[in-house]
């Protein structure tokens, strides 16, 4: 039996966007329609940027936005400059991030699951790559033992340093934690450190995995 399987999990570390919120793609679709963005062009731009941000060695504005080294307004300007409306016109930069994520809504079953896990004695932490989002801190009250937001700590997933930072705040070893994220690349990065990973695709399956780990009733 692998060593990590003999260690009981004591804590859940979870992403925010796409795990505790409705899917990112749903919010983006609402924004694309509302701002009349050329969808194919947007997808080409973001496909390249995201690939560089998570799989490549190059850097781009996503890195700076997530680690806090680039102001939100500058990111909005750079992204807007790459986009077009369906009529071929410019996209307004000011407030772009707010419009992109404006349709995010909380996923109550995931919040309920975390509260149930915490009530059962499981420690909990948030580990989120920020895109300049407004976080619902009222929903976080009494929910987390630690909150790590990338732009506030100058590190971003999948950098192993941010995972180690979260582990340090919890005071636990990697094998004592499970990490939930909707981006598989981040999950694999956590697993390389010895953290158990859950690739989130739906609340029901994630909650079932937490139950299998005896982290909640």
């Amino acid at each position: 039996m692998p060593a990590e399987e003999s260690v009981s999990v004591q804590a859940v570390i979870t992403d925010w966007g796409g795990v505790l919120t409705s899917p990112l793609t749903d919010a983006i679709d609402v924004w694309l329609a509302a701002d009349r963005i050329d969808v194919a062009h947007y997808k080409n731009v973001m496909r390249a940027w995201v690939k560089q941000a998570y799989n490549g060695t190059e850097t781009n504005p996503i890195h700076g936005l997530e680690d806090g080294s680039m102001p939100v307004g500058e990111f909005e300007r750079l992204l807007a400059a790459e986009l077009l409306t369906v009529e071929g016109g410019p996209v307004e930069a000011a407030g772009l991030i707010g419009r992109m994520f404006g349709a995010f809504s909380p996923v109550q079953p995931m919040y309920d699951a975390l509260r149930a896990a915490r009530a059962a004695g499981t420690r909990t932490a948030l580990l989120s790559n920020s895109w300049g989002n407004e976080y619902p801190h009222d929903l976080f009250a009494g929910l987390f033992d630690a909150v790590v937001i990338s732009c506030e700590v100058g590190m971003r997933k999948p950098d192993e340093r941010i995972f180690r930072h979260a582990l340090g705040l919890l005071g636990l070893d990697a094998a004592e934690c499970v990490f939930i994220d909707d981006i598989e690349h981040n999950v694999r990065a956590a697993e390389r450190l010895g953290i158990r990973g859950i690739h989130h695709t739906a609340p029901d399956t994630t909650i079932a995995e937490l139950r299998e780990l005896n982290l909640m009733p």
Side-chain angles (χ1 to χ4, degrees), residues 85-110:
T85 66
V86 292
E87 296 85 9
V91 172
E92 182 180 359
L96 182 60
I97 292 293
R99 300 197 304 277
M100 286 178 73
F101 299 103
F104 261 171
S105 60
V107 177
Q108 196 59 48
M110 287 302 301

Side-chain angles (χ1 to χ4, degrees), residues 43-60 62-63 131 156 158 183 185:
K43 288 183 176 179
N44 286 336
V45 171
M46 291 308 298
R47 188 178 296 115
W49 280 21
V50 170
K51 182 177 180 180
Q52 292 170 348
Y54 287 94
N55 299 322
T57 57
E58 299 177 77
T59 60
N60 64 35
I62 290 178
H63 294 82
W131 271 46
R156 59 182 289 277
I183 296 178
H185 198 75

